[in-house]
Every structure is written in C-alpha cells, then in structure tokens.
Amino acid sequence: MELVTLITGGSSGIGAATARALLEQGDLVAVTGRDAGRLAAFATSVDAGEQLLTIAGDAADENDVASAVRQVVDRWGRLDTVIANAGYSLPGTLEDHDPQAMRAMVLTNVLGPALLVREALPHLRESKGRIVVVGSVAGIRNTPGNLYSVTKWAAHALVENVRQLVAKDRVGVTLVAPGVVDTPFWTERGGTPQAAPTLTAEQIATVIVFAVNQPEGVDVNQLVVRPSGQFG
C-alpha cells in the first residue's frame, strides 16, 4: 500500500528531492510552500497528476498547518508520514540580523516543526506512522553568533522530546541532520562556502526515504550526514 506523506517546504531543495523520490516509489505526496508559483512549477516538473497535492501556506502559521493536514486527510483518508523540512538561515551573525527577521526564522525553524507534529499526531497514532525532522550539523556544533544554529539545536531537542512522547504509540521519529548541501538554502547566505565539499539534495532525500521505508517496528532515530571531507 502506498504511503501518504506531507512535506513542508517541499517546492525546492531537500523537500522537493524527497517528494520526487517518494513519488517515484508510488507514494502519495503533499508538499507545502509559501510561494504558490514555485509550487506550481514543481508540480509541472514532476507531472505526478493526482499522486501529488500542492498546498500554499506558511509552515509557521498554525492555521495554515492545520489546513494542510486537513486537506491531506480529506483527500486521501489517512496520513502516514510528515517531514518537517521548511527552514532557512540569515546571512551574517546575530549582531547583523534585523530583529523581525530573527523572529521569523525562529518561528519557521522551531515553531514550524512543533506545529506540524501537533496537528499530525492524531493521524500518525492511527496509522502508526513516522515523523522526520530535517535538522542540521549546525544543531550539534556551535559557531560564533549563529542564531540559525540555535534554532537547529532547538529542533533537535524537539525531536527527542517528541520521540519520548510517542514511543508508546509506536510512531517513528527520525532526525536527519545534513552537513553542507548544495541547495537554494545557500543562496540566502551568499553561496556555498568556497571549496567546501557538498552533498546534493537528492543524496539527503535518499537518507530520508531510507528512514521512512524502515519496516514496522524499526525506528531510526538520528542520522547525521556530512559530505566526505567536511570537517566541522
């Protein structure tokens, strides 16, 4: 039976690559994003027909998240997997950030995954489904003034808190923490670090799909994935 998956931030980068991989294995996939135009372009590029649902909305807005979960369940009658992928970083350090931009990043990167889990849990308990949160190597190491890193430390803590909350319900919970990945994420930061080794979005998608495809009773909790040669 095909799985039903909801991915936040699914119109580009890791989210889009994961959606493609799941669609290719025959699953039903819904992706959210704030930009309706990018969602439409993604839908055209995959040409998955009724197998794909695109939903415009903000991953940090409780009403948008609740609506997305409701639309998925209304359309396909169930929800098996949620992938909290939406997130972004700001260039510079917290000394340079605009306070409103800081607030928006914290809400997207921390509140967003929490809202998705909150809304999806009743359905995931029923399906004995899975939760995947895309974190970052920045969430296991500190760098000077890096507020993005702070948000990812918080997201990683959320994953373990949720795992303990739902273990009795046999809901799987996985943290995927990538190193440097060549995606539009880095456009916001002025480009990938010079001469740094990078992973592709497709490689991280393969890791996420590995976690999602584990047999019943197997719960892969943490996957840290760096490109060969990345030191930090």
Side-chain angles (χ1 to χ4, degrees), residues 81-132:
T81 306
V82 293
I83 300 173
N85 169 71
Y88 67 95
S89 180
L90 298 171
T93 72
L94 61 84
E95 288 185 294
D96 312 314
H97 300 335
D98 172 77
Q100 291 307 310
M102 295 166 75
R103 178 186 299 275
M105 181 174 66
V106 170
L107 290 176
T108 297
N109 294 3
V110 182
L111 180 64
L115 289 172
L116 181 63
V117 169
R118 178 181 182 275
E119 293 298 329
L121 264 183
H123 307 287
L124 297 176
R125 285 189 170 110
E126 184 176 342
S127 64
K128 301 294 188 291
R130 297 186 185 273
I131 299 163
V132 178

Side-chain angles (χ1 to χ4, degrees), residues 33-121:
R34 288 181 292 184
D35 189 322
R38 290 173 68 176
L39 285 170
F42 172 70
T44 299
S45 73
V46 297
D47 191 25
E50 294 300 307
Q51 196 181 345
L52 174 69
L53 173 64
T54 59
I55 304 169
D58 186 343
D61 183 282
E62 65 270 26
N63 296 317
D64 287 355
V65 175
S67 175
V69 170
R70 185 167 58 250
Q71 288 182 61
V72 172
V73 175
D74 286 348
R75 177 158 176 167
W76 289 314
R78 58 185 292 123
L79 180 58
D80 300 298
T81 306
V82 293
I83 300 173
N85 169 71
Y88 67 95
S89 180
L90 298 171
T93 72
L94 61 84
E95 288 185 294
D96 312 314
H97 300 335
D98 172 77
Q100 291 307 310
M102 295 166 75
R103 178 186 299 275
M105 181 174 66
V106 170
L107 290 176
T108 297
N109 294 3
V110 182
L111 180 64
L115 289 172
L116 181 63
V117 169
R118 178 181 182 275
E119 293 298 329
L121 264 183

Side-chain angles (χ1 to χ4, degrees), residues 170-203:
R170 300 179 65 81
V171 174
V173 182
T174 301
L175 167 70
V176 176
V180 181
V181 184
D182 188 7
T183 70
F185 168 93
W186 286 100
T187 303
E188 301 158 354
R189 298 182 61 86
T192 54
Q194 282 193 330
T198 60
L199 296 163
T200 66
E202 288 72 23
Q203 288 169 325

